[in-house]
Amino acid sequence: MSFYRLIYFIHKHVLFITLFSFSPFFSICQDYDTKLELLNLSITGISYAGYQTELDFNPATVKLGLWKYTKYFGQLVNNGTHYILKIPITNNYGNIELRFFLKLSGKSKTLVHMALDTAKIPIASLSTYQKETKDLILDFKKKFYWEQYQKVLDTKTDEAHKLSKKYRKISRKSANTKEGSRILENLLAINREIEKLKKLQLALLI
């Protein structure tokens, strides 16, 4: 089934991540986990069984990540009070369209609430697709955090490259200067951050 090839991730462990950046321009102190709350989602007065999880980023950032994530396999529609994610799949009953309802709430952090629209789902497949709701929201969260770490990683890598060039330029004259020592110290600190970020991303791929 094509949907299973797209949504394959079932994350079974909780990973606590805390990273403090030495840079005055960038800092990350986010907790990644796979905690889900089984919570019904009300859409136009109808209650749908779903899941809710929290992301340590504001709704605008999460919204952008959601659009980027879903464009590869589905269509995300803004319905005003909520979003509808449409995913075409093929199963034993032929071609059907899965529809998921989503709501984002919060300010500095975001609650993502997702539920399956069961209106056109065959009863025999209902339990299977209810499980896919869980897999889908966790897969989005994992990939979203990976992308956020990559953004910081790109910034830090560029910063390290610039400092390295500056240090080489100074060291040609004299390596034993206060400025040279300060730059080297900052460069080593940034390289440590880069290694932490790489480990965080690697943990997300497990």
Side-chain angles (χ1 to χ4, degrees), residues 59-69 144 151:
T61 303
V62 175
K63 176 184 175 181
L64 179 60
L66 190 60
W67 282 100
K68 289 182 178 180
Y69 172 74
F144 175 81
K151 290 179 182 179

PDB file of all heavy atoms in Angstrom, residues 59-69 144 151:
ATOM      1  N   PRO A  59       3.524  28.492  16.606  1.00  0.00           N
ATOM      2  CA  PRO A  59       2.626  27.968  15.573  1.00  0.00           C
ATOM      3  C   PRO A  59       3.004  28.356  14.150  1.00  0.00           C
ATOM      4  O   PRO A  59       2.804  27.570  13.224  1.00  0.00           O
ATOM      5  CB  PRO A  59       1.268  28.565  15.964  1.00  0.00           C
ATOM      6  CG  PRO A  59       1.354  28.749  17.444  1.00  0.00           C
ATOM      7  CD  PRO A  59       2.785  29.160  17.699  1.00  0.00           C
ATOM      8  N   ALA A  60       3.547  29.575  13.950  1.00  0.00           N
ATOM      9  CA  ALA A  60       3.916  29.994  12.595  1.00  0.00           C
ATOM     10  C   ALA A  60       5.016  29.097  12.027  1.00  0.00           C
ATOM     11  O   ALA A  60       4.979  28.712  10.854  1.00  0.00           O
ATOM     12  CB  ALA A  60       4.377  31.453  12.608  1.00  0.00           C
ATOM     13  N   THR A  61       6.000  28.748  12.872  1.00  0.00           N
ATOM     14  CA  THR A  61       7.092  27.875  12.445  1.00  0.00           C
ATOM     15  C   THR A  61       6.590  26.461  12.176  1.00  0.00           C
ATOM     16  O   THR A  61       6.965  25.828  11.185  1.00  0.00           O
ATOM     17  CB  THR A  61       8.200  27.843  13.504  1.00  0.00           C
ATOM     18  OG1 THR A  61       8.672  29.174  13.749  1.00  0.00           O
ATOM     19  CG2 THR A  61       9.366  26.975  13.067  1.00  0.00           C
ATOM     20  N   VAL A  62       5.717  25.974  13.046  1.00  0.00           N
ATOM     21  CA  VAL A  62       5.160  24.625  12.881  1.00  0.00           C
ATOM     22  C   VAL A  62       4.277  24.560  11.637  1.00  0.00           C
ATOM     23  O   VAL A  62       4.307  23.577  10.885  1.00  0.00           O
ATOM     24  CB  VAL A  62       4.370  24.209  14.133  1.00  0.00           C
ATOM     25  CG1 VAL A  62       3.680  22.862  13.915  1.00  0.00           C
ATOM     26  CG2 VAL A  62       5.297  24.130  15.342  1.00  0.00           C
ATOM     27  N   LYS A  63       3.503  25.616  11.412  1.00  0.00           N
ATOM     28  CA  LYS A  63       2.633  25.671  10.229  1.00  0.00           C
ATOM     29  C   LYS A  63       3.459  25.560   8.952  1.00  0.00           C
ATOM     30  O   LYS A  63       3.116  24.804   8.044  1.00  0.00           O
ATOM     31  CB  LYS A  63       1.841  26.971  10.237  1.00  0.00           C
ATOM     32  CG  LYS A  63       0.977  27.179   9.007  1.00  0.00           C
ATOM     33  CD  LYS A  63       0.292  28.532   9.044  1.00  0.00           C
ATOM     34  CE  LYS A  63      -0.473  28.804   7.756  1.00  0.00           C
ATOM     35  NZ  LYS A  63      -1.131  30.138   7.778  1.00  0.00           N
ATOM     36  N   LEU A  64       4.557  26.313   8.888  1.00  0.00           N
ATOM     37  CA  LEU A  64       5.425  26.260   7.707  1.00  0.00           C
ATOM     38  C   LEU A  64       6.012  24.863   7.531  1.00  0.00           C
ATOM     39  O   LEU A  64       6.065  24.330   6.416  1.00  0.00           O
ATOM     40  CB  LEU A  64       6.549  27.290   7.847  1.00  0.00           C
ATOM     41  CG  LEU A  64       7.561  27.353   6.692  1.00  0.00           C
ATOM     42  CD1 LEU A  64       6.862  27.689   5.384  1.00  0.00           C
ATOM     43  CD2 LEU A  64       8.649  28.382   6.998  1.00  0.00           C
ATOM     44  N   GLY A  65       6.437  24.262   8.648  1.00  0.00           N
ATOM     45  CA  GLY A  65       6.976  22.903   8.591  1.00  0.00           C
ATOM     46  C   GLY A  65       5.944  21.894   8.137  1.00  0.00           C
ATOM     47  O   GLY A  65       6.262  20.950   7.403  1.00  0.00           O
ATOM     48  N   LEU A  66       4.708  22.098   8.533  1.00  0.00           N
ATOM     49  CA  LEU A  66       3.626  21.193   8.148  1.00  0.00           C
ATOM     50  C   LEU A  66       3.353  21.262   6.646  1.00  0.00           C
ATOM     51  O   LEU A  66       3.155  20.235   5.994  1.00  0.00           O
ATOM     52  CB  LEU A  66       2.364  21.552   8.927  1.00  0.00           C
ATOM     53  CG  LEU A  66       1.178  20.592   8.850  1.00  0.00           C
ATOM     54  CD1 LEU A  66       1.571  19.217   9.383  1.00  0.00           C
ATOM     55  CD2 LEU A  66       0.001  21.150   9.629  1.00  0.00           C
ATOM     56  N   TRP A  67       3.382  22.468   6.082  1.00  0.00           N
ATOM     57  CA  TRP A  67       3.178  22.623   4.641  1.00  0.00           C
ATOM     58  C   TRP A  67       4.304  21.933   3.861  1.00  0.00           C
ATOM     59  O   TRP A  67       4.061  21.252   2.870  1.00  0.00           O
ATOM     60  CB  TRP A  67       3.129  24.102   4.266  1.00  0.00           C
ATOM     61  CG  TRP A  67       1.824  24.771   4.587  1.00  0.00           C
ATOM     62  CD1 TRP A  67       1.542  25.557   5.671  1.00  0.00           C
ATOM     63  CD2 TRP A  67       0.605  24.714   3.835  1.00  0.00           C
ATOM     64  NE1 TRP A  67       0.243  25.987   5.639  1.00  0.00           N
ATOM     65  CE2 TRP A  67      -0.361  25.488   4.525  1.00  0.00           C
ATOM     66  CE3 TRP A  67       0.246  24.083   2.644  1.00  0.00           C
ATOM     67  CZ2 TRP A  67      -1.659  25.642   4.058  1.00  0.00           C
ATOM     68  CZ3 TRP A  67      -1.062  24.238   2.185  1.00  0.00           C
ATOM     69  CH2 TRP A  67      -1.995  25.012   2.885  1.00  0.00           C
ATOM     70  N   LYS A  68       5.528  22.117   4.318  1.00  0.00           N
ATOM     71  CA  LYS A  68       6.671  21.503   3.642  1.00  0.00           C
ATOM     72  C   LYS A  68       6.617  19.981   3.728  1.00  0.00           C
ATOM     73  O   LYS A  68       6.937  19.275   2.772  1.00  0.00           O
ATOM     74  CB  LYS A  68       7.974  22.020   4.248  1.00  0.00           C
ATOM     75  CG  LYS A  68       8.281  23.472   3.927  1.00  0.00           C
ATOM     76  CD  LYS A  68       9.609  23.890   4.538  1.00  0.00           C
ATOM     77  CE  LYS A  68       9.950  25.326   4.172  1.00  0.00           C
ATOM     78  NZ  LYS A  68      11.249  25.759   4.774  1.00  0.00           N
ATOM     79  N   TYR A  69       6.222  19.481   4.884  1.00  0.00           N
ATOM     80  CA  TYR A  69       6.185  18.033   5.113  1.00  0.00           C
ATOM     81  C   TYR A  69       5.131  17.350   4.258  1.00  0.00           C
ATOM     82  O   TYR A  69       5.381  16.307   3.639  1.00  0.00           O
ATOM     83  CB  TYR A  69       5.918  17.775   6.593  1.00  0.00           C
ATOM     84  CG  TYR A  69       5.665  16.336   6.952  1.00  0.00           C
ATOM     85  CD1 TYR A  69       6.702  15.408   6.977  1.00  0.00           C
ATOM     86  CD2 TYR A  69       4.377  15.895   7.275  1.00  0.00           C
ATOM     87  CE1 TYR A  69       6.473  14.079   7.307  1.00  0.00           C
ATOM     88  CE2 TYR A  69       4.135  14.577   7.611  1.00  0.00           C
ATOM     89  CZ  TYR A  69       5.182  13.669   7.624  1.00  0.00           C
ATOM     90  OH  TYR A  69       4.945  12.360   7.949  1.00  0.00           O
ATOM     91  N   PHE A 144      10.200  17.295  11.516  1.00  0.00           N
ATOM     92  CA  PHE A 144      10.193  18.734  11.797  1.00  0.00           C
ATOM     93  C   PHE A 144      11.376  19.113  12.677  1.00  0.00           C
ATOM     94  O   PHE A 144      12.087  20.087  12.398  1.00  0.00           O
ATOM     95  CB  PHE A 144       8.881  19.125  12.487  1.00  0.00           C
ATOM     96  CG  PHE A 144       8.839  20.567  12.911  1.00  0.00           C
ATOM     97  CD1 PHE A 144       8.527  21.567  11.999  1.00  0.00           C
ATOM     98  CD2 PHE A 144       9.125  20.923  14.212  1.00  0.00           C
ATOM     99  CE1 PHE A 144       8.493  22.902  12.391  1.00  0.00           C
ATOM    100  CE2 PHE A 144       9.103  22.251  14.615  1.00  0.00           C
ATOM    101  CZ  PHE A 144       8.784  23.240  13.699  1.00  0.00           C
ATOM    102  N   LYS A 151      18.779  23.631  10.322  1.00  0.00           N
ATOM    103  CA  LYS A 151      18.891  25.080  10.144  1.00  0.00           C
ATOM    104  C   LYS A 151      19.981  25.651  11.034  1.00  0.00           C
ATOM    105  O   LYS A 151      20.795  26.471  10.607  1.00  0.00           O
ATOM    106  CB  LYS A 151      17.554  25.757  10.454  1.00  0.00           C
ATOM    107  CG  LYS A 151      16.467  25.503   9.439  1.00  0.00           C
ATOM    108  CD  LYS A 151      15.181  26.187   9.854  1.00  0.00           C
ATOM    109  CE  LYS A 151      14.060  25.895   8.866  1.00  0.00           C
ATOM    110  NZ  LYS A 151      12.781  26.529   9.276  1.00  0.00           N
TER     111      LYS A 151
END
